[in-house]
Amino acid sequence: MLADLTGDGRADIIGFGDGGVWVSLNQGDGTFREPTKVLSFFGARSEAGGWTSARHIRTLADLTGDGRPDIVGFGEHGVWVALNNGDGTFQQPVQVLSQFGASSNAGGWLGGHPRMLADLNGDGRRDILGFANAGVITASRS
């Protein structure tokens, strides 16, 4: 993914690899710094959470209103968030909901059930919008 992680107006590279999250910061001259592993989570290996593209959505969205994207992951057992530190790194992930996940006890959300983030109620903050077999399900932050 590409997003400005540091607020300098330049798109940085964010990758979700086997061992976690990697970042290459934009140097402003058409090149990027060497990739740095910034989190040992959101990755495919079991020690990095067992996140796979087929079952788990990982996306970026500004959740705090600081203009920098945070990581939001729809994992096996619910929704996880890692807040952006503003320097190309992220805080340790925290589980914020035990719904919208791939396992049956978290709703059984799989590939055919899109989940996304959008401001649904006009408060300027991202809410969760999910399309399930039973219809559209939403969750707003309090």
Side-chain angles (χ1 to χ4, degrees):
M1 297 183 162
L2 295 172
D4 179 6
L5 295 179
T6 61
D8 63 5
R10 299 186 302 241
D12 306 299
I13 300 172
I14 304 94
F16 298 96
D18 288 343
V21 180
W22 292 77
V23 168
S24 288
L25 295 177
N26 188 324
Q27 299 190 102
D29 62 0
T31 65
F32 294 85
R33 290 188 191 165
E34 287 296 314
T36 304
K37 186 176 177 183
V38 296
L39 278 178
S40 294
F41 196 71
F42 297 116
R45 290 190 195 127
S46 59
E47 65 269 14
W51 294 72
T52 65
S53 296
R55 291 181 67 86
H56 312 113
I57 297 169
R58 291 153 289 180
T59 191
L60 301 171
D62 178 9
L63 299 178
T64 61
D66 63 4
R68 295 185 300 257
D70 307 296
I71 299 173
V72 179
F74 295 91
E76 195 65 22
H77 302 289
V79 181
W80 289 78
V81 169
L83 297 177
N84 187 328
N85 289 322
D87 60 0
T89 66
F90 294 88
Q91 296 176 21
Q92 286 302 308
V94 211
Q95 186 172 9
V96 296
L97 275 176
S98 58
Q99 300 145 354
F100 296 101
S103 72
S104 59
N105 64 344
W109 294 79
L110 294 173
H113 301 105
R115 287 145 288 165
M116 57 197 67
L117 302 168
D119 181 4
L120 300 175
N121 55 14
D123 66 358
R125 296 167 17 155
R126 301 284 181 115
D127 308 299
I128 297 174
L129 174 67
F131 297 90
N133 288 339
V136 176
I137 299 174
T138 63
S140 296
R141 293 176 30 191
S142 53

